[in-house]
Amino acid sequence: MEQMREERELKICLPEDLGSALMDGVVLCHLVNHVRPRSVGSIHVPSPAVPKLSMAKCRRNVENFLDACRKLGIPEADLCSPYDILQSDIRHIRKTVDTLLALGEKTPQPTSTFRSWDLIGFCLFHILFIVLMYITYHWNVLTA
């Protein structure tokens, strides 16, 4: 329950140098998870023992963030590049974040109706298949 509440609240204090705060991808991954929970399954975060992430882990966070944005439907034209993030190019990062936040403000379309029709179609197909197997079996028994 605690984790669900934390996912709804995104409270992060950013330093004045915003570019360096975004460079490791941690804040961006948390942001995309705030818009759509569990969009990024694994986030590399600094620890007290190792307060600075390696460049490979930073790059992995950035790639995970961009992959999650793509899966959420952000157009490629609105996505910044990994290079933009790692080089702290705020202009391009801002365009991506603005698009992500706008996407988060939209209410999700109800998909339960489509799922219901999929389930009904699935059941009807299998019932029809079973009936045909039953008729075929009894037809073979009657003609033998």
Side-chain angles (χ1 to χ4, degrees), residues 106-144:
K106 294 180 182 176
T107 56
Q109 298 297 322
T111 57
S112 61
T113 305
F114 297 115
R115 290 184 185 152
S116 297
W117 283 110
D118 288 343
L119 182 60
I120 290 169
F122 176 81
C123 291
L124 288 175
F125 172 78
H126 282 87
I127 290 170
L128 179 63
F129 180 75
I130 291 170
V131 168
L132 287 174
M133 293 298 295
Y134 179 79
I135 292 171
T136 304
Y137 175 76
H138 281 288
W139 180 265
N140 287 337
V141 169
L142 292 174
T143 57

Side-chain angles (χ1 to χ4, degrees), residues 49-123:
V50 184
K52 187 164 173 75
L53 291 178
S54 69
M55 194 53 135
K57 288 183 178 181
C58 292
R59 185 156 183 89
R60 188 69 191 140
N61 282 343
V62 167
E63 288 170 356
N64 286 340
F65 165 73
L66 292 173
D67 287 342
C69 288
R70 286 184 187 96
K71 289 177 184 172
L72 290 175
I74 295 180
E76 286 293 325
D78 291 339
L79 281 179
C80 57
S81 69
Y83 180 81
D84 294 332
I85 297 172
L86 295 171
Q87 295 302 314
S88 304
D89 186 349
I90 299 298
R91 292 175 298 130
H92 291 107
I93 298 170
R94 181 178 177 175
K95 185 176 182 181
T96 301
V97 170
D98 286 345
T99 307
L100 176 64
L101 293 176
L103 180 71
E105 291 173 357
K106 294 180 182 176
T107 56
Q109 298 297 322
T111 57
S112 61
T113 305
F114 297 115
R115 290 184 185 152
S116 297
W117 283 110
D118 288 343
L119 182 60
I120 290 169
F122 176 81
C123 291

